[in-house]
Amino acid sequence: RIVVATRSAARHEILRAIGADDAVIVSDDDADAIARAFPAGPPRMAVESIGKPGQLHFAVQHVGLGGSVISLGMCTVNDPVVPAFSAFRDVTLHFPVSYTTDDWIETIRSFDAGEVPAETMVSETLALSSLPTLIEEMRGPHGHQKVQIAPNR
């Protein structure tokens, strides 16, 4: 079961279209949102992909005992993790830095087979000359998803 935790419902429809079974809003007002999404018990694996301080610990708190947390968020500042808390939960932290050739092949085959609707993920195609403006827009709140750059435009 794949459940994505977000701060707003803005991308829930897209997340479901590309393979998530469910998407839940996580907020201070609803601390049990993730638990409700997993009625059979906590997940064995959590993937942290936000990259903000505190998110690794959040993932450790919600993964099941003996579970794994994969960090894909690439936080570039100190991110507090309490070793004793992780140890008592027997959680394993993984920090991969790249994909294997097999990962790329599997991804391409999934796209070719229509298992993942790529057009759902790409929000727009822009000319290369638009890139500086796009980068500035993406530094704050924005509606972009994956943006394809067409150098020949």
Side-chain angles (χ1 to χ4, degrees):
R1 180 163 167 79
I2 298 172
V3 176
V4 181
T6 67
R7 294 283 180 197
S8 78
R11 296 186 175 148
H12 286 193
E13 184 177 324
I14 293 162
L15 293 167
R16 288 185 186 101
I18 62 173
D21 296 305
D22 200 0
V24 297
I25 296 174
V26 176
S27 72
D28 294 336
D29 298 333
D30 188 2
D32 296 327
I34 292 178
R36 285 194 310 277
F38 292 98
R44 300 264 314 131
M45 179 188 303
V47 178
E48 187 286 305
S49 59
I50 296 171
K52 289 186 177 178
Q55 295 307 304
L56 277 176
H57 186 69
F58 181 84
V60 169
Q61 286 177 302
H62 289 87
V63 73
L65 296 176
S68 296
V69 172
I70 301 171
S71 173
L72 297 180
M74 295 294 184
C75 188
T76 58
V77 297
N78 289 337
D79 190 354
V81 173
V82 181
F85 184 79
S86 299
F88 292 138
R89 296 181 54 76
D90 192 25
V91 171
T92 303
L93 299 173
H94 301 272
F95 296 89
V97 292
S98 66
Y99 298 102
T100 66
T101 301
D102 288 342
D103 293 332
W104 287 106
I105 291 169
E106 182 180 343
T107 300
I108 291 167
R109 286 188 177 144
S110 294
F111 281 123
D112 278 348
E115 296 168 6
V116 179
E119 65 279 358
T120 304
M121 293 185 286
V122 177
S123 58
E124 59 206 304
T125 301
L126 299 174
L128 183 59
S129 60
S130 302
L131 194 54
T133 303
L134 174 68
I135 290 171
E136 286 307 312
E137 287 176 11
M138 294 179 91
R139 291 183 195 276
H142 61 84
H144 303 289
Q145 293 167 54
K146 299 293 182 193
V147 178
Q148 191 171 35
I149 301 298
N152 58 345
R153 271 190 164 180

